[in-house]
Amino acid sequence: MAQINPSILSADFARLAEEAKAVDGADWLHVDVMDNHFVPNLTLGVPVVESLSRATDTPLDCHLMIEDPDRWAPQYVEAGAGSVTFHVEAAAAPVRLAREVRAKGARASMALKPATPIEPYEDLLPELDMLLIMTVEPGFGGQAFLDIMLPKIRRTRELISKHGLELWLQVDGGVAESTIERCAEAGADVFVAGSAVYGARDPAEAVRSLRAQAESATASAAWACGH
């Protein structure tokens, strides 16, 4: 089943609790954490995640675009995140970090920038609950979807199937009505959507509409047949 994770990077930061409630029915709330070092933007950190976790029943999916995630990621679990994603390009010991996140009770996820290939990390996949393929360069919302990432999504899905893993495959960046079906067809089943949800007149309806599109595309996708 397709999951839609609205990104609060596109929400009104002065009204985060209300914005979280505006997407009731979403599977997760995607929280972009940026440190102005790993990516050229600065957003929010542990205190905001703690507050947000108290303000919504929707589980938090924290995407850490930060340096030294080995040090910081466990704190986001303690702050209330149900899933924590670290970038493999920034992690010193990704297997150890994934195991620590899991041991603390959250889902462990690893993200890859557009230029980072999946193949060198094939052996790490069993240590993860989710893999995130960035479909834009991380750092800013509202960017155009990179079609050149579709073959990488397909190759990743093939690796997941090859090993028989129950691993979610997330895409983040430029996901909208015009792109979500291509992502689903290629093998993604978790979709981060920012402006496509929070820029809509009815964010909750936008979530339902995107999910329906994704599920329709998945139903006829070669990778999902017999899945």
Side-chain angles (χ1 to χ4, degrees):
M1 178 178 166
Q3 300 185 63
I4 305 298
N5 299 12
S7 171
I8 64 166
L9 187 63
S10 297
D12 181 349
F13 274 28
R15 300 170 52 249
L16 280 185
E18 295 168 56
E19 295 283 62
K21 288 182 174 63
V23 291
D24 276 347
D27 298 280
W28 296 76
L29 201 59
H30 190 80
V31 182
D32 287 304
V33 177
M34 308 184 198
D35 64 358
N36 205 30
H37 293 284
F38 182 70
V39 291
N41 196 1
L42 186 65
T43 53
L44 45 80
V46 169
V48 175
V49 171
E50 286 179 340
S51 297
L52 199 53
S53 70
R54 291 193 297 267
T56 179
D57 292 329
T58 306
L60 303 184
D61 165 32
C62 286
H63 177 194
L64 308 185
M65 287 169 272
I66 62 175
E67 291 182 351
D68 201 8
D70 302 75
R71 175 186 177 189
W72 295 109
Q75 294 188 30
Y76 284 89
V77 183
E78 293 164 7
S83 175
V84 176
T85 301
F86 59 87
H87 268 266
V88 71
E89 302 90 353
V95 171
R96 184 176 65 200
L97 180 55
R99 289 180 178 181
E100 186 174 359
V101 168
R102 279 176 156 180
K104 284 184 174 290
R107 296 179 63 86
S109 171
M110 188 173 79
L112 278 63
K113 286 182 173 183
T116 303
I118 179 58
E119 287 77 7
Y121 305 105
E122 179 178 351
D123 292 343
L124 274 64
L125 297 182
E127 301 288 341
L128 304 169
D129 298 296
M130 183 169 73
L131 192 83
L132 166 55
I133 302 293
M134 292 299 300
T135 44
V136 298
E137 287 294 340
F140 293 92
Q143 298 184 64
F145 179 81
L146 295 173
D147 279 285
I148 56 171
M149 291 298 103
L150 291 170
K152 182 175 171 181
I153 296 168
R154 289 192 184 92
R155 292 196 305 273
T156 303
R157 175 53 67 185
E158 288 167 4
L159 289 177
I160 293 170
S161 298
K162 171 185 171 183
H163 293 282
L165 300 172
E166 291 296 321
L167 182 65
W168 296 351
L169 180 51
Q170 185 180 65
V171 287
D172 180 5
V175 174
E177 287 184 1
S178 59
T179 58
I180 194 167
E181 291 178 4
R182 278 175 280 165
C183 293
E185 186 277 329
D189 54 7
V190 184
F191 307 87
V192 177
S195 48
V197 170
Y198 280 111
R201 185 173 298 173
D202 184 341
E205 174 57 32
V207 168
R208 289 190 290 270
S209 178
L210 287 168
R211 187 185 289 116
Q213 274 190 280
E215 291 186 345
S216 175
T218 299
S220 58
W223 69 267
C225 293
H227 183 67

